[in-house]
């Protein structure tokens, strides 16, 4: 009797890589000529990231620099949630967060996709913010991974714990 193989579908963000991206963006902002005298900056504020500058265009440029640094560190922009610029005194601010974990709604969508379009005999089980996919055939699991990679999802996914 063949044992079942499985893997987990997760949405994990490496906090250290995000921290590195914030620090790199802050360094670039402090050195770039177009950010001189506009009070531009980026920093952590609890679990969120605060971006600020003296004009709306400059704060959007700070956001673009931050996005560029995230991409270079292989962090998906699908998880980045940034507010619209808000005027706070004389400074425009953007509050940004990076989502991690798969919501119940998204896990149900993935599970339904696997049931409807995936190979027969593949089971998908929601476990908190993860989705466990199991099957007797490793080839079926690889087919499920290819199916999910081919979808246009509005959240990032990684495949871990392949056994």
């Amino acid at each position: 009797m063949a044992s079942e193989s499985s893997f987990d579908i997760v949405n994990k963000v490496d906090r250290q890589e995000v921290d590195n991206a914030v620090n790199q963006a802050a360094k670039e902002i402090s050195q770039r000529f177009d950010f001189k005298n506009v009070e531009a900056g980026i920093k952590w504020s609890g679990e969120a990231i605060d971006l600020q500058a003296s004009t709306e265009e400059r704060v959007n440029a700070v956001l673009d620099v931050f996005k560029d640094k995230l991409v270079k560190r292989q962090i998906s922009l699908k998880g980045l949630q940034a507010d619209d610029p808000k005027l706070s005194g004389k400074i425009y601010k953007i509050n940004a967060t990076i989502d991690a974990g798969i919501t119940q709604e998204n896990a149900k969508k993935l599970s339904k996709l696997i049931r409807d379009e995936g190979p027969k005999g593949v089971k998908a089980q929601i476990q908190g913010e993860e989705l466990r996919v199991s099957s007797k055939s490793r080839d079926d699991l690889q087919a499920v991974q290819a199916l999910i990679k081919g979808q246009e999802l509005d959240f990032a996914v990684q495949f871990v714990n392949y056994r």
Side-chain angles (χ1 to χ4, degrees):
M1 185 96 114
S3 65
E4 285 214 337
S5 300
S6 67
F7 68 89
D8 295 336
I9 302 172
V10 297
N11 178 9
K12 290 196 173 157
V13 177
D14 186 350
R15 168 79 184 214
Q16 185 61 51
E17 289 296 331
V18 176
D19 193 42
N20 291 341
V22 168
N23 293 334
Q24 286 179 342
K27 184 175 181 181
E28 181 173 325
I29 290 162
S30 71
Q31 294 175 344
R32 272 183 37 182
F33 180 76
D34 59 332
F35 287 114
K36 295 281 187 242
N37 302 323
V38 294
E39 301 173 36
I42 180 172
K43 66 182 189 300
W44 281 102
S45 173
E47 287 296 309
I49 301 150
D50 284 340
L51 301 91
Q52 67 181 35
S54 59
T55 67
E56 191 171 345
E57 294 80 23
R58 289 291 93 202
V59 78
N60 282 325
V62 170
L63 180 60
D64 289 341
V65 168
F66 180 54
K67 285 180 179 178
D68 184 48
K69 299 303 177 191
L70 287 174
V71 168
K72 286 184 178 172
R73 297 209 149 276
Q74 279 95 36
I75 297 172
S76 174
L77 295 181
K78 290 179 180 179
L80 179 67
Q81 305 297 324
D83 298 341
D84 291 329
K86 292 184 181 73
L87 187 59
S88 173
K90 294 181 180 178
I91 303 276
Y92 282 89
K93 293 186 174 189
I94 293 179
N95 192 339
T97 57
I98 299 199
D99 295 339
I102 298 175
T103 64
Q104 287 292 321
E105 179 182 313
N106 288 335
K108 287 177 184 173
K109 284 182 194 172
L110 276 177
S111 181
K112 182 173 178 2
L113 174 75
I114 292 167
R115 269 195 321 273
D116 294 348
E117 298 182 29
K120 299 294 176 227
V122 175
K123 294 187 286 263
Q125 181 179 15
I126 300 170
Q127 297 180 335
E129 294 185 339
E130 298 180 352
L131 188 68
R132 166 84 33 103
V133 180
S134 57
S135 173
K136 291 191 186 306
S137 166
R138 287 179 178 246
D139 292 340
D140 287 350
L141 293 179
Q142 290 174 343
V144 168
Q145 287 182 352
L147 172 70
I148 292 171
K149 285 179 184 174
Q151 297 297 311
E152 284 295 321
L153 302 173
D154 56 351
F155 56 97
V157 294
Q158 295 90 31
F159 305 111
V160 297
N161 295 340
Y162 192 81
R163 297 174 238 194

